[in-house]
Every structure is written in structure tokens, then in C-alpha cells.
Amino acid sequence: MKKRLLSFLTLTTSVILLAACNVQTEEQANNDNSDVSTGETTEKMTIELLGSSSNETDMNIVRDQLIKNGFDVTLNTQPDYASFQTQKEAGNYDLAISSWTTVTGNPDYAVRSLFTTDGDNSDLSNSEVDALINEAALQTSDEYTETYKELEDVLVTENAYIVPLYTSLKAQAFNQDLLNPDSIRLAKSRAFPWETVQFNETASNDTEPLILTQQIGDLTSLDPIKGNDGSINQLNTNMYVRLVNLTDDDQVVSDGSLSYNHAIAEGNSDYYFILRDDINFAAVEDDQAVDTGKMVSGQDAVFSLNRAKDPNSVPDHRTYSLHEHIDSVSLVTDLAELENTSLSDGNGTVKEALEANLESPIANVVEDAAQVDNASGQYQVVKVTTTEPFPQVLNYLAHQSAGIVSQEQVESINTYDVENFDISTDIPYGDQRVVTEGETYDNHLYASGPYIMTQKNDYEATFQKNPAYMAGTEHAAQIANVTVRFIGDADSALSALRSGEIHLLAGLDETKYDVVEGEDSLSLQSMPSNGVAYMLFNANGREVSDSADLRKSILYSINQDELSTAYDGLKLKAYSTVSPLVDTGNELVADPAKVEEFYQTYLDSIK
């Protein structure tokens, strides 16, 4: 009998499973554009809707809904993510289909980069939005619900900076005839971890590659601080170890990280991490992963986090705002500091917390990496101090952008002047050109995680396990080789899984669950995700850029129930990118009367 793994299919009672959605043609939609409440719909302006081919279903439904409410719609459909980004950066849109997954499991990540003034991915500038995001960041989970509700009110209800579409389930399917189901993890937030995966035939772990896939083959950067997108999240998560990790249900732990334990000091501004000494950097020689013999040290951790928080440490730094609450990073050199510092909950000292379950108690803390010897009680301890009390800093330290790089290797590669960086002549650490087959291949990567990329081409990237990553422990990589195929089309990726060309497919569309369930060789895992689909207005140079009333007219044209119907009722409600993490009680309800009201106010304002 087929074994089916289903982590989640019990949705809340408020979610109704609806019949399949009938997506109309533009002509049909134009013939059905009457307001259900008044019988009339004002003819409205043309809206240019930008998206990629992978968003075609959403684009068609949104187009139909806007046309029904009197708008004319021009679709700007791009074949891939790179083309989409080019159009977006050129400003060729009124509305752009976008999405965001909170891969750190904390609500601050769901909003800071996207909506703060000068955020890494933000085109907005609203002091009230900034203030509410910063206020919520300092609050505990039992305090911040009302603050995030206020933020949503300003962001969506009052200004309609974004149009929420839905929250998705997170699903993956794998070949259970080949892979051991007990070794496959499905994490709500973090990228898929490779090191636990095993073949059913354990002898194959050393001889056969694990074959995975992702849509985007043009990699932003293999330097973990220079990218935060679908091209590198999975890859960098598995190539660089961090001070802490997230469990599959978003709890911050030290398991499988560079630290044995971590502790929060009284006041919630000082965070301590006691480092393990059984991880060395891996490098690539003659296309093979090798042990460099260089331990991943406290100095490397301090260097990595300092550059992560510094927006000027590299050109095109895309993740600095995630770490802007870090004030300082240092190595502890006095054991008395650990002994005399109380924990935030008052239950003991930092030393006692860091020492818990260690095979050898802490005899001394050392600064020199050469003096580290955990077996004899000689440890390095990293201390992170935040600008203000900020417990959510731990979630950010679990993000791939906080991956530990080699100070020696990065500094030997990044010899350019940041202000005068020239991509045509300078090759920075992690540039995909150095791992791409051909004349540019000169693999300079140093990986601190369980795997290292050996090379890539337009078709796939290959990885080998780090031979010096927690060897002999449960966290060591089980499969020696991993191949990530670049398959841009979701249907083609599913076909590759069904034919055995790949072994696991992450990001399975809800409408394809029945296909997987119909295959005896495949198993399905599913759970609610932190991923939200939404539409972003052009913030510059368009009529929607300047009028909140026009934006709100578009906002209330959107019917989320119809969107869920198109996905067999398996899309969940959303009001903002924080919806999967905090229940604010806000809900978007389509309202043709409000569409007309706000559009008329917009017309009156431009007379």
C-alpha cells in the first residue's frame, strides 16, 4: 500500500473547500462588469499588471476581477524571474505580482526588509510604518499583536501600499521508493535541509547523488549576505553553518549549528554562543570537496556578523537590514563574565546555560583559535549585543545571510574598493562565475556548512559533502553528492519527479496534490507556510503611485475566495506578509461599492 506523508491537511473551519475556479477570458470579463450592488460600474483607467509565467493563474484571475470592476487591464507577462525583475526595475507596471516567505519564523522579518524606508526590498517611505515596525520589534509575542494590527491598518487599510492575495501551504513530494521517508524534513520557514536525507538503500548514500530542483538557475551570489531570494536561499543555507538554527516549527535551537548552546542574558540585549570545534571549512580541489584543515572559529563568526550588519561591507549588500539590530560582536575572554551574568529568565547564570549537556565542562574561554580544545574544556564564546532589547535577533541569526564565512578566504578574494567596484573587472567572493563551467571557472568557495558547490552550468549545480563537518555526529551529511537541477517550469519539474529524473520536488502547487497522490512511488508532505502572495504598487511615476484612493479602489476589487477556489480551496486568507505569523483579525473583503467610492474620490482629487 502506498505510504502517504501528510504533515498538514486539516485546515481551520473558516476555510471552505470550493469548486474549481472558471477563469474567464478578457472579453468575457468585459461583458460581465456590472456592480452587484448598484448594477453599474464606472469605466476606469488602464492598469498594467506585471508578473511572470509562473504567476499566470493569479494574473488571469486578478485581471478578470479588475475588469469586472470597470478597470481595463494590460498584462505584462515575463517568461522568467530575471525578465520580471528587469521590467520591475524599469518601472513598467502599475501592479506587480510578488511573494514573500518569512524564512526566519519571526514577524519582524515579514515586514522590515519590505516596508521600512530604505529597506533592502522596499520602495516605501512612511514614517508611521517605520515607527510601528520598530515598536513591534521590541515587544514580546504576547505584546506585539495589536502593534502589527496597527501596522496592517496603515499599510493596507489606510494606504493600500500592497494588495494581499493569499497565504500558501508549503508542500513537497519525494520518491519514497528511493528516499527514506523518515529522513525527509519539511520545515515551515527554513530552506530544505539536505544533510539528514538518506536513500532507502544506505549503500547508495556514497555512490548515488541526491537529485533536487529549483526554478532559478541564475544565482544572485554564493556570498550569503549578498542574496535573499529563491536562487540561493536553499543553496547558501546548506553551504554555510550559522550560530543557531530553526526547528521545523520555527523554534530557535543550537542543534546542528556552530554552537553547542546559546543563552540570553538579563535585559535581552546580550546573547552568548559557545562554539563547537568539529567543523572545518571545505574547499574544492580538482572538482572534489576537501578539508582545508582550518577550523570554523569565533574569529570567523565575528567577522561574518560584522560584515552582515554593515551595509557598506560589500557592493549590492541585500541583507544588512536583517541584522541592523546588532550593535557589536565579540569574543568573550573572561570566564567570570559568564559566571556573573544572569539569564533573562532569572534561572541561573549564562555559564550554567552554555555548559548544559556538554561532554566537558567549561574550564576556560579562549580568544586564540589555536588554543581551542573542547575535549579539555577550552572553548570560544561569541557575544552578540543588540542596539536595544531584541529577542527576535536570534531568528535573524538562523537566516542564511548569517552564514559563517572564512575571514581569511573572503579577505583574500575581496581586494577591490567597495565604492569603485566594477562588476566587469572585479570578481567578488561568491560570484557565480567562479563556479560556472568554462573559462571563468576558478572555484574559490570555502564552505562552513554540510555541503559545498563544486560547479554549475545552465542546467544544474553539483555539490559534495564537507568531509570535516561534524564528522561522526548525527548532524554530518548522510549523502555524499547532491545535484540541483534548474527547471523553471513547475509542470516540467513535476514530470521530472514522476519520471525519476529528480528525487524530491519542493514548492508543489496545491492543484498538483492529486497527481502526487495518484503515484504509488511518491509521497506528499504539506503544512501551512509563511509564504504570502501579494501585489505591489509601483511607488514612482504612475497614477497609482500618488493616490491612496486609486489604490484602495483596486484593493477592494480583489476577491480572495475566488483565488483560493482556483487552487482547490487550499489557499488561506492573508492581509499582509505578517498574516501567517500573527493573527491580527484583519481580513480583506471584496466590496464593489468601495471600489466605486474610492475611484470617485480619486477622480474628484484630479479635477
Side-chain angles (χ1 to χ4, degrees):
M1 178 179 290
K2 175 186 174 186
K3 181 178 179 182
R4 174 183 169 200
L5 295 179
L6 207 54
S7 302
F8 175 88
L9 273 180
T10 305
L11 306 181
T12 57
T13 56
S14 61
V15 178
I16 302 174
L17 298 181
L18 302 173
C21 178
N22 178 24
V23 178
Q24 297 177 303
T25 66
E26 184 170 351
E27 180 180 357
Q28 290 170 326
N30 275 315
N31 292 331
D32 186 20
N33 64 352
S34 62
D35 185 322
V36 295
S37 61
T38 65
E40 298 179 356
T41 295
T42 305
E43 257 187 63
K44 302 178 180 69
M45 63 183 293
T46 298
I47 301 296
E48 183 177 8
L49 177 61
L50 172 65
S52 63
S53 57
S54 61
N55 303 127
E56 188 172 4
T57 298
D58 293 345
M59 293 180 72
N60 287 337
I61 296 171
V62 167
R63 177 203 63 198
D64 292 353
Q65 292 178 351
L66 290 174
I67 289 174
K68 284 181 181 180
N69 283 278
F71 291 96
D72 193 11
V73 179
T74 299
L75 296 184
N76 183 352
T77 306
Q78 295 300 309
D80 51 41
Y81 179 77
S83 302
F84 167 84
Q85 279 296 103
T86 299
Q87 288 291 303
K88 186 172 180 292
E89 290 169 5
N92 297 329
Y93 69 100
D94 293 299
L95 272 173
I97 299 280
S98 190
S99 63
W100 183 261
T101 299
T102 301
V103 296
T104 58
N106 64 309
D108 189 72
Y109 179 89
V111 293
R112 180 168 299 278
S113 176
L114 294 174
F115 306 127
T116 57
T117 302
D118 297 325
D120 304 290
N121 297 283
S122 175
D123 292 325
L124 301 184
S125 180
N126 184 302
S127 59
E128 193 172 2
V129 168
D130 292 346
L132 288 167
I133 288 175
N134 290 327
E135 179 183 350
L138 306 183
Q139 297 173 329
T140 60
S141 57
D142 58 349
E143 297 172 326
Y144 58 45
T145 298
E146 183 58 33
T147 308
Y148 281 117
K149 181 184 186 307
E150 291 180 34
L151 171 64
E152 287 189 334
D153 289 341
V154 175
L155 187 68
V156 183
T157 313
E158 298 174 14
N159 291 290
Y161 289 132
I162 63 169
V163 179
L165 298 178
Y166 52 75
T167 300
S168 296
L169 301 183
K170 184 175 184 178
Q172 61 192 26
F174 63 90
N175 189 323
Q176 64 180 1
D177 288 349
L178 295 176
L179 302 181
N180 180 351
D182 293 333
S183 71
I184 309 296
R185 293 174 55 185
L186 177 64
K188 184 176 183 183
S189 294
R190 65 164 288 176
F192 178 67
W194 303 344
E195 68 266 24
T196 63
V197 182
Q198 298 186 56
F199 286 106
N200 288 322
E201 297 291 335
T202 55
S204 298
N205 290 342
D206 293 326
T207 60
E208 299 298 324
L210 170 66
I211 307 177
L212 308 173
T213 184
Q214 68 177 39
Q215 287 191 333
I216 306 172
D218 186 19
L219 310 182
T220 305
S221 177
L222 299 171
D223 182 341
I225 65 173
K226 291 193 64 177
N228 189 19
D229 57 68
S231 76
I232 49 77
N233 283 340
Q234 175 186 198
L235 311 185
N236 285 346
T237 294
N238 285 285
M239 283 209 297
Y240 298 98
V241 72
R242 295 159 297 283
L243 287 178
V244 287
N245 271 325
L246 289 181
T247 64
D248 294 345
D249 60 354
D250 288 347
Q251 301 304 305
V252 178
V253 296
S254 287
D255 298 345
S257 76
L258 184 58
S259 69
Y260 287 113
N261 294 306
H262 65 277
I264 307 175
E266 185 177 16
N268 292 332
S269 288
D270 292 326
Y271 302 80
Y272 295 86
F273 308 84
I274 185 165
L275 305 190
R276 56 195 308 147
D277 64 354
D278 59 353
I279 304 175
N280 289 352
F281 286 103
V284 175
E285 296 179 4
D286 298 325
D287 296 331
Q288 299 297 311
V290 297
D291 177 5
T292 64
K294 299 175 181 179
M295 185 184 73
V296 181
S297 69
Q299 283 81 2
D300 295 309
V302 171
F303 170 77
S304 298
L305 296 184
N306 276 327
R307 71 194 295 265
K309 74 185 183 73
D310 178 6
N312 300 312
S313 62
V314 291
D316 198 22
H317 194 326
R318 300 191 183 188
T319 62
Y320 62 86
S321 69
L322 304 183
H323 306 289
E324 64 185 5
H325 282 90
I326 297 177
D327 182 44
S328 63
V329 189
S330 59
L331 284 171
V332 176
T333 57
D334 186 356
L335 184 59
E337 178 178 346
L338 308 182
E339 296 171 330
N340 298 328
T341 303
S342 298
L343 295 172
S344 61
D345 61 8
N347 295 323
T349 67
V350 167
K351 180 177 182 291
E352 290 169 340
L354 296 182
E355 211 168 37
N357 300 315
L358 292 182
E359 291 187 6
S360 301
I362 303 172
N364 194 23
V365 289
V366 299
E367 185 173 15
D368 187 350
Q371 296 178 353
V372 172
D373 182 6
N374 293 174
S376 63
Q378 308 298 306
Y379 295 91
Q380 286 189 314
V381 173
V382 169
K383 177 184 179 181
V384 174
T385 299
T386 55
T387 55
E388 48 202 335
F390 186 56
Q392 291 190 56
V393 71
L394 291 173
N395 294 78
Y396 288 122
L397 293 178
H399 186 249
Q400 61 87 15
S401 62
I404 310 303
V405 296
S406 164
Q407 178 176 3
E408 178 184 1
Q409 184 68 356
V410 170
E411 289 183 337
S412 72
I413 299 297
N414 290 355
T415 57
Y416 53 79
D417 177 61
V418 173
E419 291 186 0
N420 297 312
F421 177 78
D422 184 350
I423 190 62
S424 65
T425 57
D426 298 322
I427 298 182
Y429 176 83
D431 192 305
Q432 69 170 341
R433 289 175 290 179
V434 303
V435 293
T436 302
E437 293 178 352
E439 294 180 1
T440 58
Y441 179 81
D442 183 20
N443 195 324
H444 64 219
L445 299 178
Y446 265 41
S448 60
Y451 287 91
I452 186 169
M453 183 184 291
T454 54
Q455 61 181 0
K456 74 173 286 287
N457 53 35
D458 292 339
Y459 177 60
E460 65 185 20
T462 56
F463 298 77
Q464 290 183 11
K465 74 175 182 180
N466 179 348
Y469 182 84
M470 302 193 204
T473 74
E474 62 179 321
H475 303 296
Q478 299 299 306
I479 290 179
N481 297 282
V482 175
T483 297
V484 177
R485 297 265 170 85
F486 304 130
I487 305 177
D489 178 69
D491 288 337
S492 298
L494 180 56
S495 295
L497 177 68
R498 297 175 70 189
S499 67
E501 295 175 43
I502 62 174
H503 300 151
L504 184 146
L505 172 61
L508 185 70
D509 189 281
E510 288 91 341
T511 61
K512 305 300 182 182
Y513 286 7
D514 59 339
V515 176
V516 171
E517 292 168 344
E519 296 277 355
D520 289 339
S521 63
L522 302 182
S523 282
L524 173 70
Q525 294 173 316
S526 177
M527 69 188 304
S529 79
N530 290 336
V532 174
Y534 64 99
M535 295 188 293
L536 183 69
F537 285 102
N538 193 332
N540 299 289
R542 297 286 179 118
E543 291 177 70
V544 294
S545 310
D546 302 321
S547 174
D549 289 309
L550 177 56
R551 296 194 298 268
K552 284 188 276 189
S553 182
I554 293 170
L555 171 71
Y556 287 107
S557 299
I558 301 305
N559 187 318
Q560 293 187 351
D561 288 333
E562 290 181 359
L563 283 156
S564 182
T565 299
Y567 295 94
D568 297 333
L570 295 175
K571 295 295 188 184
L572 311 180
K573 294 281 189 178
Y575 202 74
S576 77
T577 47
V578 85
S579 294
L581 299 117
V582 182
D583 183 6
T584 64
N586 283 330
E587 182 178 346
L588 176 62
V589 178
D591 190 334
K594 288 184 178 180
V595 173
E596 299 301 320
E597 174 190 349
F598 286 117
Y599 195 78
Q600 186 60 50
T601 303
Y602 158 69
L603 291 177
D604 292 342
S605 71
I606 61 174
K607 287 181 180 178

